[in-house]
Amino acid sequence: MTLLRVRRTGPLTLVEDLGRPGHAAIGVARSGAADRGALRLANRAVGNPEGAAALEVLLGGLELEVVGGSVTLCVTGAPAPVRVGGRDTGPSYVTTARAGDVVRLGTPAVGLRSYVAVRGGIDVPAVLGSRSRDVLAGVGPEPLAEGDELIVGAWTGEPPVADLLPPPRLPDVVELRVVRGPRDAWLVDADRLTSTAWTVSGESNRVGIRLLGEPLHHRDPDRQLPSEGAWRGAVQVPPGGEPVVLLADHPVTGGYPVAGVVVDADVDRAAQARPGQQLRLRWVPAPR
């Protein structure tokens, strides 16, 4: 049996897969990897099913010691420097770490979240059909801690032929396409969502990214709105007027209007936006 012994975790390292859909009626969000595309890519690179459990690493700093056997791995998402057994391998490469090797991730120059997939996946107990950590609900495996040992799952597939992936494109200014509504009429001027240059707040996390800029105004600040279900990418406007783009571990609306919804294909890019980075929203028609 091959294990990964955690020597350092960095700011936050979580086990994530593609989440637990179908439980909203009992108050359990889907959760899963914040950047689903990066998780899928890493898994495909090592020959896993796209939804296998991997490690989501916030701003690098992770160190893993390989125990008991060798492991094939790949790092995607935010391009963190990667060293395996004392040699630089870099992100976006499929590489093998032998027993006793230490895998180290440095701090990525751009982006926020890197994904480490290992052939066979991370074998931790599933909760409601998923191995993902939901940081808001506290569901799923605990965040990694020093001394933890992770079991590498069994793998019986055929290895993929590619050992080098295209690097991610993470622009200086994040632009997200947004579909208007359903509660844009609750704002005095919802178009200011797309005419304002927003800055990503340091109070952002997997629940949502807070945007800093000139606040929006509710048309009737005293009007009450019952809580509603929300979608990953919903742009919610709290009473303070600075919008929040909901991410993987979002709750229900909590009475705040949703003025737009980020196109699903752009939400992964939102999850890679760093605090202090500029962000713009752009209206697009709703799909038919």
Side-chain angles (χ1 to χ4, degrees):
M1 180 170 62
T2 301
L3 301 175
L4 299 175
R5 182 175 294 147
V6 180
R7 295 168 47 132
R8 293 181 58 208
T9 65
L12 179 67
T13 299
L14 304 172
V15 178
E16 298 288 346
D17 56 19
L18 289 178
R20 48 182 67 84
H23 301 290
I26 59 172
V28 178
R30 176 162 183 153
S31 187
D35 183 343
R36 298 156 295 178
L39 174 82
R40 289 187 175 107
L41 183 62
N43 274 322
R44 289 201 302 269
V46 297
N48 289 341
E50 287 187 339
L55 301 179
E56 180 180 282
V57 186
L58 180 70
L59 288 174
L62 177 69
E63 284 189 14
L64 302 170
E65 179 182 355
V66 180
V67 178
S70 62
V71 63
T72 299
L73 62 96
C74 183
V75 177
T76 62
V82 180
R83 288 178 64 83
V84 176
R87 65 189 189 281
D88 292 324
T89 63
S92 302
Y93 282 90
V94 178
T95 188
T96 298
R98 299 180 293 273
D101 282 351
V102 175
V103 179
R104 293 185 173 90
L105 266 66
T107 303
V110 295
L112 201 59
R113 296 178 169 94
S114 307
Y115 291 83
V116 183
V118 297
R119 185 167 291 169
I122 302 296
D123 188 5
V124 296
V127 178
L128 294 174
S130 170
R131 295 179 169 85
S132 284
R133 176 65 176 181
D134 182 330
V135 299
L136 181 65
V139 175
E142 294 289 332
L144 264 57
E146 292 182 15
D148 285 352
E149 292 185 338
L150 302 169
I151 298 173
V152 176
W155 183 83
T156 58
E158 292 291 329
V161 295
D163 57 6
L164 173 62
L165 306 177
R169 293 188 297 175
L170 299 173
D172 293 336
V173 178
V174 179
E175 182 174 296
L176 306 177
R177 296 169 292 172
V178 184
V179 174
R180 186 183 291 270
R183 304 293 184 188
D184 54 319
W186 282 56
L187 302 179
V188 173
D189 184 4
D191 285 338
R192 283 184 42 216
L193 271 173
T194 56
S195 62
T196 300
W198 301 103
T199 301
V200 177
S201 165
E203 296 182 8
S204 303
N205 54 26
R206 283 176 45 87
V207 176
I209 52 174
R210 295 183 177 276
L211 302 180
L212 303 176
E214 187 175 352
L216 302 165
H217 299 288
H218 288 206
R219 192 176 298 279
D220 182 355
D222 296 325
R223 188 179 176 188
Q224 298 295 310
L225 178 67
S227 286
E228 299 175 312
W231 193 256
R232 186 188 297 220
V235 183
Q236 193 176 54
V237 183
E242 291 182 324
V244 178
V245 180
L246 300 182
L247 296 182
D249 294 348
H250 67 82
V252 296
T253 62
Y256 304 148
V258 170
V261 180
V262 175
V263 173
D264 190 63
D266 290 0
V267 178
D268 288 353
R269 194 159 62 250
Q272 294 289 3
R274 298 174 76 141
Q277 195 165 5
Q278 298 296 298
L279 185 148
R280 285 189 174 276
L281 302 172
R282 175 168 62 87
W283 293 129
V284 294
R288 296 184 178 180

